[in-house]
Amino acid sequence: RSFKLSYYNEYKSYLSMLFKLIIIFCLTSSCQSHFYTIHNLDVRALDSTKPVEIIQKLRYTRNAGGVITDSDNTTTTVPVDPVKNGTDNGGDLCDEYKCRKDNHTYYELQYIPGDSLWIELVPGPNNKYNGTKHQLSHHGAYNGLGYEMNISTFLYYGLPIHNLIILTGGFIHVGEIKNDRIIDKVQYISPFMAEFNPNASAESNIFTYEDENVFIVQWDNMTIVNKTELGSYTFQIQLHSNNDIVFSYKQIPKVVLTNNGLYNNGISDAYFLYTDTHITLNVYHKIDIDMSQVGSETGIKFVHQKLCTMIDDYYNCTNHNLPNFRCHWCDAIGKCSDRGLDNNYHMWLNGDC
């Protein structure tokens, strides 16, 4: 009996190793039908030629007793007045709209009806935010372009980002590892991922706008490859200096969930382990938006919450009042973290924290 058990355990170990090899192969070879061509890649990018493995190690929220639970999402609907037009984007729109709030620990999601979140970028005489036509407007499908953002205060999952990639596929990538095979699978900010082709129509464009308060990307009159009969899509991402993220949708003729579930809509972050032979990306948190709430003249707001990584001294780190986190201070690297579960994990590990 013990011989059979030993044989069974060896068999399980063999299958597990085979499965991991298949994953690595699919992420670094031709298992997928399309890869993105990235232009103007910033010099900080890590080696993108090494095999990359993605592991889902999603963290969970803790209850008041400090016990980790499997619930990272609570939903409430705010019963308030009917939709009002012309509201300033600066406040909590859920105070004035009947909207749904989802608590995802790192961010609170607000699904907001109406067009109050929309900031038009198409240049016009009465337009306050005249956008610049992005170079990607002249590229076909599956292309991306490196971009250096000038908003110095924007934090993503509590940490600053400056370099990103804008993709024709309706999303941006904010990770340090610029690997074209994983760029749409991890560390994305994605309002509507699809096979868009800016070259399909003279009216299709990608606009960008930036000032000291906001960075905006607008995909304008985009059509989906081989699905032009659906019509054109217009939507945008806004990254605000207060760390909030906005998905705003002006024209969505139909929500398309195809490509065997390979489209990711929402946000995700990961920490990486970088060795001489391969890279491991550990996805510690992601938020999938409810696509049933997406349509023309709708919006989604990601309200950034206070996180351990935003605390920069020992006293406040160890005496915090953050209900969903256990902040720890590491003297070796001078950083505050929830057990290293953030994009600084490699520093936390190297510092023997």
Side-chain angles (χ1 to χ4, degrees):
R1 183 174 180 179
S2 104
F3 173 79
K4 287 184 177 179
L5 184 59
S6 174
Y7 179 81
Y8 175 71
N9 288 335
E10 274 190 42
Y11 180 70
K12 278 178 58 180
S13 176
Y14 170 79
L15 285 180
S16 176
M17 184 180 298
L18 181 63
F19 180 69
K20 286 185 177 181
L21 288 173
I22 291 172
I23 290 175
I24 294 174
F25 175 77
C26 285
L27 288 172
T28 58
S29 65
S30 58
C31 275
Q32 302 168 51
S33 56
H34 299 288
F35 298 135
Y36 279 88
T37 300
I38 312 302
H39 309 272
N40 192 31
L41 196 59
D42 66 87
V43 295
R44 298 188 321 110
L46 298 180
D47 185 358
S48 62
T49 62
K50 294 184 178 180
V52 179
E53 180 184 11
I54 298 177
I55 298 176
Q56 299 278 348
K57 286 189 176 179
L58 302 181
R59 77 172 304 281
Y60 299 106
T61 189
R62 298 181 177 87
N63 62 23
V67 179
I68 297 178
T69 71
D70 61 358
S71 174
D72 194 25
N73 178 15
T74 56
T75 300
T76 57
T77 299
V78 183
V80 288
D81 296 335
V83 174
K84 299 178 181 179
N85 292 321
T87 303
D88 184 6
N89 293 356
D92 184 351
L93 291 176
C94 276
D95 291 341
E96 303 192 31
Y97 286 72
K98 183 176 181 180
C99 75
R100 173 179 135 192
K101 285 185 178 182
D102 290 359
N103 177 19
H104 290 271
T105 307
Y106 292 84
Y107 290 87
E108 178 189 83
L109 256 66
Q110 300 177 1
Y111 293 90
I112 301 172
D115 62 355
S116 62
L117 293 174
W118 183 257
I119 300 176
E120 183 59 62
L121 296 190
V122 176
N126 299 317
N127 189 7
K128 178 181 177 182
Y129 300 89
N130 281 322
T132 301
K133 186 183 293 187
H134 200 273
Q135 296 178 47
L136 280 178
S137 299
H138 309 297
H139 288 276
Y142 310 110
N143 278 272
L145 192 66
Y147 189 95
E148 184 174 355
M149 191 170 62
N150 294 319
I151 299 179
S152 59
T153 59
F154 179 77
L155 302 178
Y156 183 66
Y157 278 93
L159 293 171
I161 61 167
H162 302 289
N163 295 281
L164 50 86
I165 299 177
I166 302 172
L167 286 309
T168 56
F171 66 102
I172 62 176
H173 178 82
V174 296
E176 285 188 77
I177 300 175
K178 308 300 192 293
N179 185 305
D180 58 353
R181 294 163 176 81
I182 65 168
I183 207 162
D184 56 349
K185 294 169 181 60
V186 65
Q187 292 183 301
Y188 50 78
I189 303 177
S190 171
F192 202 99
M193 193 180 292
E195 299 173 79
F196 292 118
N197 181 7
N199 260 343
S201 167
E203 296 180 353
S204 299
N205 287 296
I206 298 175
F207 293 96
T208 56
Y209 174 87
E210 184 174 20
D211 61 27
E212 66 276 10
N213 297 312
V214 66
F215 169 72
I216 308 172
V217 183
Q218 179 172 317
W219 290 263
D220 197 71
N221 289 313
M222 305 291 283
T223 57
I224 299 177
V225 173
N226 297 326
K227 294 184 182 294
T228 55
E229 71 278 2
L230 294 179
S232 59
Y233 292 73
T234 299
F235 56 94
Q236 60 187 207
I237 291 174
Q238 304 167 17
L239 306 182
H240 291 265
S241 58
N242 66 353
N243 309 320
D244 290 349
I245 301 170
V246 168
F247 294 169
S248 189
Y249 306 91
K250 181 177 182 180
Q251 183 172 309
I252 304 294
K254 184 178 182 180
V255 174
V256 181
L257 301 175
T258 58
N259 206 18
N260 298 320
L262 293 178
Y263 294 147
N264 294 296
N265 293 302
I267 63 174
S268 83
D269 199 24
Y271 59 83
F272 66 89
L273 298 176
Y274 190 68
T275 71
D276 291 335
T277 57
H278 71 283
I279 303 168
T280 301
L281 275 168
N282 295 273
V283 182
Y284 69 89
H285 196 263
K286 63 181 294 192
I287 301 175
D288 297 320
I289 59 176
D290 183 354
M291 294 302 287
S292 70
Q293 301 293 311
V294 172
S296 298
E297 297 188 353
T298 60
I300 303 173
K301 189 173 186 180
F302 296 73
V303 181
H304 198 291
Q305 304 299 291
K306 182 66 179 289
L307 310 179
C308 301
T309 50
M310 301 167 72
I311 303 173
D312 57 7
D313 65 275
Y314 169 83
Y315 177 81
N316 287 306
C317 180
T318 55
N319 293 277
H320 68 88
N321 186 27
L322 305 179
N324 293 322
F325 299 93
R326 285 180 177 173
C327 300
H328 298 272
W329 181 261
C330 180
D331 278 328
I333 61 174
K335 291 188 180 296
C336 184
S337 176
D338 180 3
R339 300 176 296 131
L341 286 177
D342 53 59
N343 201 252
N344 282 334
Y345 178 79
H346 59 292
M347 298 173 61
W348 196 261
L349 197 64
N350 293 336
D352 196 24
C353 300

